[in-house]
């Protein structure tokens, strides 16, 4: 089960070594049958647990958001407070069920720029719940939407009041009304007629009234606000602030600060656009708020650096308070250096002390109090270094893999090709490095990663080959497939449980 600790640098957390986890398959949603062709719109493009871990949201390329809810807590009468007091290491089998789905975004066309805007969901972020309603943000390339999902009672007509007693009562009312009306003669005189007792008269039909009931409940998703016209480039990330009132959105060159209640105005807090676009050397790839300090946020760049900024310093935060980047080894620069150094995702640890970053080749763990270099480095794709030319040819080298941390900070995880994902232990003395396949029977693999690449980057040909392969083998002889990739995954906030997306399927594992 353990793949050794190759590429593991200094320990990230102090304390005794934590024993490796034994991962087990839990559930799968949207499983494909053998030979079934997957529609492009069904491929999952975003995953996010809410703060309690009781709800999970996924977004797909078709612009839909699907919500799942935890059922094993309700079924067994568990309470959230009891669960928070439980030991984190206790193995529990989480069970989720489909809750609802809604169409979040539709394809659009920007007539001013003659650009088609895809409906694909780039990111989903949960907001604070209130009065039993769920709130979340979802975004495509240009538009952010704020959704409220709430149970509403469905009113429907279940029956007519055809009860005999009710009929008699209605008949009495009708007869009394009819009896009170007096016929008039042609000359205007009133013809008096004896009024019979209404209670004894049954010759009038019953007045039927519908009975409306509201017993059933239905989940209704309503778009509360639309935040638009604030980004010239594609939105790559959104992040909620711990104050519960604001959030940020980031594209290649700018980061905007929004108030949840105000959709027609945002504040530009970071702008890296040069006066002359020819001088552009790096772009913003991801941005995230600190989990507890509402004045701090971090953003990563295509050059492999992470900048920590403090909103208290100035309104425009173009100057960072801290810069985290790893120095290049002398003589190691090549054609691919900047491409593989680009950070595709960053995540703050739950305690806010560490930042996890994912570039194409590795995971890096940073201590925000130590900007000299990462405290731990985990090699994920080192065995692909000899194939960088092929990866460039088929555009796989530009794939953006996400990363996540466990709630206790003892482990980190990320995805890879062939629908594999990797879990590393980052506590002191840990050698945990497990590779699993997203399937009902997760096959544990030991991917041997050499300390040094078999070929130096300098020896790679500058003239790139055409017709590159889509498949190959790692250093241990295991075949891998560039066409299947596990890009999106999320760790449960308080348990050892992982949700990951392989194409249109959502797999869940626990340990």
């Amino acid at each position: 089960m353990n793949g050794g600790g190759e590429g593991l640098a200094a320990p990230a957390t102090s304390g005794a070594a934590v024993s490796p986890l034994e991962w087990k398959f839990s559930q799968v949603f949207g499983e494909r049958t053998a030979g079934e062709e997957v529609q492009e719109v069904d491929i999952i493009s975003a995953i996010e647990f809410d703060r309690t871990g009781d709800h999970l949201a996924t977004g797909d390329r078709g612009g839909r958001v699907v919500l799942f809810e935890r059922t094993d807590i309700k079924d067994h009468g568990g309470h959230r407070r009891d669960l928070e007091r439980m030991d984190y290491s206790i193995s529990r089998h989480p069970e989720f069920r489909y809750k609802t789905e809604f169409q979040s975004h539709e394809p659009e066309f920007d007539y001013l720029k003659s650009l088609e805007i895809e409906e694909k969901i780039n990111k989903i972020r949960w907001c604070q719940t209130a009065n039993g309603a769920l709130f979340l943000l979802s975004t495509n390339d240009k538009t952010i939407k704020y959704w409220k999902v709430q149970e509403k009672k469905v009113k429907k007509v279940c029956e007519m009041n055809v009860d005999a007693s009710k009929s008699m009562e209605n008949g009495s009312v009708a007869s009394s009304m009819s009896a009170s009306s007096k016929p008039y003669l042609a000359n205007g005189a009133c013809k008096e007629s004896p009024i019979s007792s209404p209670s004894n008269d049954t010759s009038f039909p019953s007045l039927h009234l519908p009975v409306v009931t509201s017993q059933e409940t239905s989940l209704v998703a309503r778009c509360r606000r639309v935040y638009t016209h604030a980004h010239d480039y594609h939105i790559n990330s959104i992040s909620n602030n711990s104050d519960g009132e604001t959030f940020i959105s980031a594209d290649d060159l700018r980061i905007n600060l929004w108030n949840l209640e105000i959709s027609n105005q945002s504040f530009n807090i970071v702008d890296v656009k040069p006066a002359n676009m020819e001088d552009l050397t790096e772009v913003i790839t991801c941005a995230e708020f600190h989990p507890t300090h509402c004045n701090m946020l971090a953003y990563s760049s295509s050059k492999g650096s992470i900048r920590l900024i403090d909103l208290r310093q100035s309104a425009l935060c173009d100057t960072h308070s801290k810069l985290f980047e790893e120095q290049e080894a002398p003589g190691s620069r090549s054609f691919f250096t900047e491409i593989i150094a680009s950070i595709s995702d960053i995540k703050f640890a739950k305690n806010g002390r560490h930042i996890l970053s994912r570039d194409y080749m590795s995971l890096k763990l940073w201590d925000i109090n130590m900007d000299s270099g990462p405290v731990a480095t985990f090699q994920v794709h080192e065995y692909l270094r000899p194939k960088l030319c092929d990866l460039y040819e088929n555009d796989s080298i530009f794939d953006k893999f996400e990363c996540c941390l466990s709630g206790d900070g003892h482990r980190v995880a990320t995805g890879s090709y062939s629908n594999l994902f990797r879990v590393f232990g980052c506590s002191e003395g840990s050698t945990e490095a497990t590779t699993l396949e997203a399937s009902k029977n997760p096959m544990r693999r030991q991917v041997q990663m050499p300390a040094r690449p078999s070929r130096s980057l300098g020896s790679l040909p500058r003239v790139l080959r055409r017709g590159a392969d889509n498949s190959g083998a790692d250093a241990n002889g295991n075949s891998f497939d560039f066409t299947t990739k596990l890009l999106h995954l999320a760790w449960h906030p308080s348990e050892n449980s992982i949700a990951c997306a392989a194409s249109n399927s959502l797999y869940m594992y626990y340990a």
Side-chain angles (χ1 to χ4, degrees), residues 1-2 19-26 88 91-92 94 404-408 410-413 421-425 432-437 439-444 489-492 495-500 507-511:
M1 175 178 167
N2 287 328
S19 58
L21 296 177
E22 183 73 23
W23 290 93
K24 304 179 185 69
F25 169 78
S26 176
Y88 189 92
S91 177
R92 303 183 67 256
C404 58
L405 300 96
S406 62
D408 59 4
H410 290 160
R411 293 172 181 86
V412 296
F421 68 96
R422 307 212 65 197
V423 180
F424 298 93
E432 182 175 0
T434 308
T435 303
L436 298 107
E437 184 179 10
S439 68
K440 280 189 173 180
N441 302 302
M443 179 173 56
R444 291 170 184 81
L489 77 170
W491 201 301
H492 190 283
E495 296 177 15
N496 285 321
S497 176
I498 291 179
C500 54
Y507 289 92
M508 308 196 71
Y509 303 90
Y510 75 103

Side-chain angles (χ1 to χ4, degrees), residues 84-99:
E84 287 176 351
R85 287 196 295 265
M86 291 175 62
D87 182 10
Y88 189 92
S89 62
I90 293 178
S91 177
R92 303 183 67 256
H93 191 311
E95 293 177 11
F96 283 80
R97 71 178 175 193
Y98 168 86
K99 187 177 179 74

Side-chain angles (χ1 to χ4, degrees), residues 182-192:
K182 301 175 181 179
Y184 290 88
L185 300 176
N187 59 3
C190 179
K191 179 182 178 182
E192 294 292 339

Side-chain angles (χ1 to χ4, degrees), residues 253-254 271-280:
L253 299 178
R254 292 187 176 95
D271 188 348
V272 299
K273 184 178 181 180
N276 184 355
M277 285 295 285
E278 291 183 359
D279 298 331
L280 183 67

